[in-house]
Amino acid sequence: MIDIKNLSVQFTGENLFENVNLKIGKHDKIALVGSNGTGKSTFLKLLVRKEEQETGEITRQKGIQVGYLQQDSIAYKGQTLFSEVKSSLPNIKQLDEREQEILAALNSETISSDDREELLEELGEIHHKKDEIDFYSADSRIEKILEGLGFSTKDFFRRTEEFSGGWQMRIHLAKILLAENDLILLDEPTNHLDIDTLTWLEDFLQNFKGALIIVSHDRHFVNTVTNKTLEVFDRQINIFPGNYNAYLTFKDEREIQLREMQKTREKKIKETEKFIERFRYKASKAKQVQSRIKQLEKIETITISGEEKKIELHFPEPPRSGVVPIELKNVFFSYGSLEVLNDVDIQIERGDKIAIVGPNGAGKTTLAKIIEGRLQPVKGSLIYGHNAIISYYEQEVADSLNPDFDLIDSLEEMNNELGAGQIRSILGSFLFSGDDVFKKIMVLSGGEKSRIALARMLLMQSNIIILDEPTNHLDFTSKEILQKALCSFTGTLIIVSHDIDFLKPIVNKVFEIRNQKVKIFLDGIDYYLQKRKEITEQPIHLININEQKTTRKDQKRLEAEIRQQKFKLTKDLKADLSTCEKRIEKLEVLKRKLEEDLSDSGIFSNAQIAKEKNIEYDKTRISLEGEYELWTELTHKIEEIENAFDANGGG
């Protein structure tokens, strides 16, 4: 599908890639990996022709469609969420645009009767074409993708400019997933997603029929979705079979070989230098000395990517807190009329390592800020135990850094007992090396400021650390270094994160926020995920009469119990079904009325009314399709329960 030949690219005078040759097939699911600054994002931009190569060529199969999610923020405005996402379908967009042009023309006072008839005929053809391209099925697909990415039905007709940066990224992702792309390129797609949305996206991409190239530092995500790994290393891009874990095994084996090669190289250099030094001034050996000098110049440098793994970070030993450093009792919290937390009771024990998880907007950051003390409950109490000392990291904390400090100053401010070498080691683990350490805070990007804020936290004498999405701007190596430091931290730890692999070795409890409530899972993230799966796929447990050895009296009692169980399991479902059917009936009446209105050519004499009718019709149809899906789901569930009772002798 894509053929890359002799690709070379320079950045600030140095080659990112040299003479790269590779092919990308139409079903490849690829993780693009490499250290920060090696050119991963540049490579994606080359594939979508947003940047140009120095030499070589990138040949794309004719007619392929590519979707590209970039790290740079995109701000949509001027349309509703639903309309914006719908615009990613080219045929539908063209038909909608032409329909609007016709409506505007029909409203013109100077239009002739012949032109009006012609436009009305074209309008009828557009409606017919919409039926041909399964226009209404497209709306259903849009709805499923938006809901999968965490949008609610009430969001569909909100203006896009009302959504914040993270949700703007989801809008762009929705457009990419909806469009019929042959290749999807995703540059850090997981940064603004929660665990629920990530799980949905993983399932969607696993079933995607085209090709994928993903840059992500979420190890669980890339291992789940990809089957090949593309590595940017030593100015080359090489492809390996297998997911990221399989690639790591290969990488370890390669580094062992490279170290052996490095030892051989160093030995050869020493022997050559020794010969040159010994015979440099002997005329009889001049020719041989010159030959050895040329040999020395030709010996290639060996790059070993694993050197940075030697860096280790350790939190300072924290002062000891009380057994229960934090307790929340009957806590309620709301933003105006929006209720976020309802009657929350939490007791955090010394040494707990807690993950706070839940859908975006559920209140994870709100809970973290209440625990830290910067938000006060509307009702209830927050109680700190003996000697509770809290450090809080949030991405916004980067804005409070002194802009006139350089990176070394910023860390020395937290602990002036550290030597220059220790500070450089800490900065190096957070991707700052060489002259970067002398940069002023004011010139750093948002991601770089976040990393400095995280590095500063390592130096604080706290026994309770709260981290809100700490991994969003870290690569695999930096995350691993931070992960090891947090594992060895002897105080209390609270992490808001969706990064499953990062959380696994750290946490021993999970607080899940859902529907204003906090549910506590007394084990790690694997246990939580298993329990979530059990909750969403909860089986029906039935009494089986055929397995009971009973008297006639006992059998009657069992039959009564089964009828009661059957009634209990289906009562709410049948009530929901009845309500759903009433809504369907009303929506069907409204839809028929709107269809009659839209078939009346007289309505198009007023473009504003026609536009409003079309919008109302779209809303009605989408709502009706949602009710149809709910009706099918409820009916299926009721039948499943009743069939289960019949099969178990309870019919």
Side-chain angles (χ1 to χ4, degrees):
M1 186 164 63
I2 294 182
D3 193 5
I4 299 170
K5 293 180 180 178
N6 302 318
L7 176 69
S8 293
V9 176
Q10 284 191 358
F11 182 71
T12 64
E14 295 184 5
N15 279 330
L16 282 175
F17 321 125
E18 288 180 2
N19 300 319
V20 171
N21 293 278
L22 59 92
K23 292 180 183 291
I24 297 168
K26 62 181 180 179
H27 299 302
D28 287 344
K29 303 286 195 300
I30 298 169
L32 179 60
V33 303
S35 301
N36 277 40
T38 54
K40 300 186 295 295
S41 295
T42 299
F43 180 71
L44 295 185
K45 289 176 182 177
L46 289 167
L47 295 182
V48 292
R49 298 171 181 155
K50 284 185 174 287
E51 290 196 9
E52 294 294 327
Q53 63 268 27
E54 310 296 329
T55 61
E57 58 183 5
I58 301 174
T59 306
R60 292 184 3 181
Q61 183 181 324
K62 190 175 181 181
I64 69 164
Q65 188 167 320
V66 181
Y68 172 48
L69 179 74
Q70 58 195 30
Q71 284 193 53
D72 303 333
S73 58
I74 293 176
Y76 290 105
K77 60 182 180 179
Q79 294 197 74
T80 64
L81 168 64
F82 201 91
S83 297
E84 182 61 56
V85 174
K86 192 173 185 179
S87 70
S88 62
L89 292 172
N91 291 338
I92 290 176
K93 182 182 178 182
Q94 290 166 7
L95 289 173
D96 275 344
E97 286 176 351
R98 181 55 185 154
E99 184 174 14
Q100 293 305 315
E101 289 172 2
I102 291 172
L103 292 174
L106 287 170
N107 197 40
S108 171
E109 295 178 0
T110 59
I111 188 172
S112 66
S113 57
D114 288 343
D115 287 343
R116 179 179 294 277
E117 285 298 320
E118 194 173 308
L119 288 172
L120 287 172
E121 185 178 340
E122 186 181 352
L123 190 63
E125 290 173 359
I126 286 173
H127 290 158
H128 180 66
K129 285 177 182 177
K130 283 186 174 182
D131 290 333
E132 284 183 337
I133 64 172
D134 211 0
F135 178 88
Y136 303 121
S137 170
D139 284 0
S140 179
R141 295 200 308 275
I142 294 169
E143 186 175 358
K144 286 178 180 176
I145 287 172
L146 288 175
E147 288 176 348
L149 290 175
F151 294 98
S152 64
T153 306
K154 64 184 180 183
D155 290 329
F156 291 177
F157 294 97
R158 286 175 60 193
R159 308 291 289 182
T160 51
E161 55 265 33
E162 296 175 25
F163 294 95
S164 63
W167 290 99
Q168 290 280 350
M169 184 280 289
R170 293 192 193 203
I171 295 172
H172 189 47
L173 182 56
K175 295 180 69 171
I176 290 169
L177 299 182
L178 178 68
E180 297 174 358
N181 290 303
D182 303 288
L183 170 65
I184 291 177
L185 311 177
L186 302 176
D187 197 351
E188 294 294 356
T190 67
N191 280 355
H192 299 284
L193 303 181
D194 52 62
I195 287 180
D196 289 356
T197 309
L198 266 175
T199 303
W200 178 87
L201 182 60
E202 286 169 3
D203 183 63
F204 185 97
L205 295 178
Q206 282 177 310
N207 292 293
F208 175 61
K209 302 301 181 186
L212 291 172
I213 302 179
I214 299 173
V215 176
S216 175
H217 295 132
D218 188 321
R219 187 163 170 172
H220 181 271
F221 178 71
V222 295
N223 275 324
T224 302
V225 171
T226 64
N227 55 26
K228 290 185 178 180
T229 303
L230 202 59
E231 180 205 43
V232 185
F233 173 68
D234 197 19
R235 298 180 299 280
Q236 286 295 307
I237 304 178
N238 298 306
I239 196 160
F240 304 94
N243 63 11
Y244 183 71
N245 278 349
Y247 155 74
L248 285 180
T249 301
F250 161 81
K251 184 181 177 184
D252 289 341
E253 293 171 352
R254 181 185 64 190
E255 286 178 2
I256 291 170
Q257 293 175 348
L258 288 174
R259 290 184 193 282
E260 290 300 318
M261 290 169 63
Q262 190 178 52
K263 287 179 183 178
T264 304
R265 174 184 178 274
E266 288 172 354
K267 183 180 178 182
K268 186 175 181 181
I269 288 172
K270 285 179 181 178
E271 289 174 351
T272 305
E273 288 176 340
K274 189 176 180 181
F275 181 90
I276 293 168
E277 188 62 30
R278 182 178 179 185
F279 299 109
R280 182 185 296 274
Y281 303 108
K282 282 197 175 185
S284 61
K285 296 285 188 180
K287 191 172 182 181
Q288 289 172 281
V289 168
Q290 288 302 314
S291 175
R292 296 296 173 92
I293 290 172
K294 288 179 180 178
Q295 284 180 17
L296 198 61
E297 291 171 351
K298 289 179 180 179
I299 295 176
E300 293 183 359
T301 302
I302 295 173
T303 305
I304 300 175
S305 62
E307 295 289 352
E308 57 197 349
K309 286 188 176 180
K310 292 180 179 178
I311 299 169
E312 290 188 4
L313 297 178
H314 298 283
F315 284 94
E317 186 64 26
R320 192 173 177 83
S321 72
V323 175
V324 180
I326 298 172
E327 188 172 5
L328 275 67
K329 288 185 176 180
N330 309 115
V331 165
F332 290 76
F333 189 87
S334 61
Y335 293 101
S337 61
L338 177 63
E339 188 176 86
V340 181
L341 298 173
N342 185 316
D343 196 19
V344 172
D345 286 290
I346 291 173
Q347 192 176 76
I348 297 172
E349 298 175 358
R350 182 178 61 221
D352 274 350
K353 305 290 192 295
I354 298 165
I356 299 180
V357 302
N360 273 32
K364 301 186 292 294
T365 295
T366 298
L367 178 60
K369 288 182 176 179
I370 289 172
I371 292 170
E372 193 263 347
R374 67 180 60 192
L375 285 180
Q376 298 300 313
V378 173
K379 183 181 175 185
S381 56
L382 167 68
I383 304 166
Y384 290 128
H386 171 69
N387 202 32
I389 307 169
I390 300 175
S391 294
Y392 183 81
Y393 168 85
E394 58 178 339
Q395 291 188 46
E396 290 79 4
V397 79
D399 296 332
S400 65
L401 299 174
N402 189 326
D404 296 320
F405 278 6
D406 63 26
L407 275 55
I408 291 178
D409 293 336
S410 191
L411 263 62
E412 281 184 339
E413 182 185 28
M414 307 306 299
N415 188 334
N416 58 16
E417 295 179 4
L418 290 177
Q422 291 172 296
I423 288 178
R424 278 183 171 271
S425 291
I426 293 171
L427 290 171
S429 70
F430 286 97
L431 315 179
F432 299 105
S433 59
D435 291 339
D436 287 346
V437 301
F438 301 112
K439 283 182 177 179
K440 298 290 186 184
I441 297 295
M442 67 177 70
V443 304
L444 299 183
S445 68
E448 288 171 328
K449 288 178 181 177
S450 295
R451 297 203 301 272
I452 286 296
L454 202 52
R456 283 163 55 94
M457 180 165 283
L458 289 174
L459 308 178
M460 297 176 71
Q461 291 281 340
S462 308
N463 50 32
I464 301 165
I465 293 178
I466 303 173
L467 302 172
D468 192 352
E469 297 292 358
T471 66
N472 278 357
H473 297 287
L474 302 182
D475 67 1
F476 285 117
T477 302
S478 297
K479 281 205 295 187
E480 185 179 349
I481 292 166
L482 177 62
Q483 186 183 61
K484 287 180 179 178
L486 294 174
C487 284
S488 62
F489 177 60
T490 57
T492 304
L493 188 62
I494 300 166
I495 309 175
V496 178
S497 178
H498 58 265
D499 192 324
I500 293 170
D501 261 39
F502 179 76
L503 294 172
K504 275 184 181 180
I506 300 173
V507 305
N508 58 17
K509 287 183 182 178
V510 176
F511 289 178
E512 182 197 55
I513 305 179
R514 200 176 292 271
N515 301 322
Q516 295 91 46
K517 299 290 185 180
V518 177
K519 186 171 183 178
I520 300 173
F521 295 80
L522 299 175
D523 210 331
I525 198 72
D526 282 331
Y527 174 81
Y528 162 73
L529 292 172
Q530 179 59 37
K531 286 298 176 185
R532 278 298 304 160
K533 188 175 181 183
E534 289 174 8
I535 291 167
T536 55
E537 300 175 3
Q538 193 167 19
I540 303 164
H541 299 289
L542 305 174
I543 302 168
N544 192 329
I545 289 178
N546 298 327
E547 293 179 359
Q548 305 288 328
K549 295 181 179 179
T550 61
T551 64
R552 178 62 184 161
K553 183 178 179 182
D554 289 336
Q555 187 172 349
K556 283 186 176 181
R557 178 179 55 77
L558 281 171
E559 287 173 352
E561 287 179 7
I562 289 171
R563 284 195 299 272
Q564 187 178 7
Q565 186 183 9
K566 182 178 177 180
F567 173 77
K568 186 177 179 181
L569 286 170
T570 59
K571 178 185 175 184
D572 290 343
L573 291 170
K574 286 182 176 179
D576 290 343
L577 183 65
S578 176
T579 305
C580 177
E581 287 173 342
K582 289 175 183 176
R583 288 197 299 263
I584 287 173
E585 186 177 352
K586 288 181 180 178
L587 287 168
E588 284 180 336
V589 170
L590 178 58
K591 182 170 177 281
R592 283 195 296 270
K593 173 68 169 58
L594 289 167
E595 285 172 344
E596 289 173 5
D597 291 345
L598 290 169
S599 65
D600 182 1
S601 60
I603 201 171
F604 296 110
S605 61
N606 188 313
Q608 183 60 34
I609 293 176
K611 183 179 180 181
E612 289 172 359
K613 288 285 185 183
N614 271 289
I615 291 172
E616 187 181 2
Y617 180 75
D618 283 341
K619 286 183 179 180
T620 303
R621 188 186 64 256
I622 291 166
S623 298
L624 186 57
E625 287 174 358
E627 295 297 339
Y628 283 150
E629 287 187 16
L630 177 60
W631 185 91
T632 302
E633 184 181 324
L634 291 169
T635 303
H636 176 74
K637 188 64 177 175
I638 292 168
E639 289 176 352
E640 185 183 57
I641 293 170
E642 291 179 340
N643 290 339
F645 274 95
D646 292 343
N648 281 273

